Amino acid sequence: GENVEQHPSTLSVQEGDSAVIKCTYSDSASNYFPWYKQELGKRPQLIIDIRSNVGEKKDQRIAVTLNKTAKHFSLHITETQPEDSAVYFCAAPRGGLVDSWGKLQFGAGTQVVVTP
Amino acid sequence: GAVVSQHPSRVICKSGTSVKIECRSLDFQATTMFWYRQFPKQSLMLMATSNEGSKATYEQGVEKDKFLINHASLTLSTLTVTSAHPEDSSFYICSGRALGDTQYFGPGTRLTVL
């Protein structure tokens, strides 16, 4: 099965700086990589995802990069704001390829704190 | 779009009682629904996967007789925690998946067993 490792576990940044979170996965067949943001006591919300046929995807201040050779993908948040403070989770398909079930294996999470 | 609701949001029960949690996809048909458990400051741990009209599949270590899952329709799945004990206290979150790969999460249910 898929093994997803996420680093760092905590990240403190000054408002306006960039934040980068990295995840590695084990199954080279994995083809779908979502990122979720979870505020305290709330539901995880999808913020961006990427498929294995592209190397980078951007959405305003958020971007995700994928290196299939090295089997890692990263979340980049630019011009961070206090409202970016949350726990961020990466994920990859449990069985490698996204199958008919769509099960995901989540990373351990990164607590991001943006200080004004 | 892609909204998932969960009810109740919080429940406190006595040890030995059963608790039912409902998960509904409000504006899409969820071909598959997932149930997760999340302990404080930890990641999402998949408990079980269910497809409408068929039996749920449980992850290793999750007791199917304790965590009963029913997926009666494409918009409703329920999780019943039977004979709850204090160690079952946790944040239970469901998610629904349509035809694509994206999972949309419910707001979660905070279960406290006294």
Side-chain angles (χ1 to χ4, degrees), chain B residues 4-22:
Chain B
V4 176
S5 71
Q6 212 171 315
H7 179 80
S9 58
R10 289 178 180 273
V11 59
I12 301 172
C13 69
K14 291 183 179 179
S15 186
T17 60
S18 295
V19 174
K20 180 187 279 191
I21 303 169
E22 286 189 353

Side-chain angles (χ1 to χ4, degrees), chain A residues 13 32 54 72 95:
Chain A
V13 295
Y32 173 65
V54 297
H72 66 72

Side-chain angles (χ1 to χ4, degrees), chain B residues 43-84:
Chain B
S43 188
L44 298 154
M45 300 301 296
L46 181 65
M47 297 175 66
T49 303
S50 72
N51 283 329
E52 181 259 342
S54 60
K55 286 185 179 180
T57 57
Y58 291 81
E59 296 300 306
Q60 193 172 7
V62 178
E63 299 174 55
K64 63 179 181 180
D65 294 329
K66 181 169 184 62
F67 298 100
L68 301 178
I69 291 171
N70 184 278
H71 195 155
S73 74
L74 285 171
T75 58
L76 173 64
S77 176
T78 60
L79 167 68
T80 302
V81 183
T82 62
S83 187

Side-chain angles (χ1 to χ4, degrees), chain B residues 77-109:
Chain B
S77 176
T78 60
L79 167 68
T80 302
V81 183
T82 62
S83 187
H85 289 284
E87 56 266 30
D88 298 323
S89 298
S90 188
F91 192 50
Y92 291 86
I93 312 177
C94 69
S95 71
R97 174 181 176 241
L99 295 177
D101 303 325
T102 304
Q103 288 188 30
Y104 300 97
F105 284 86
T109 297

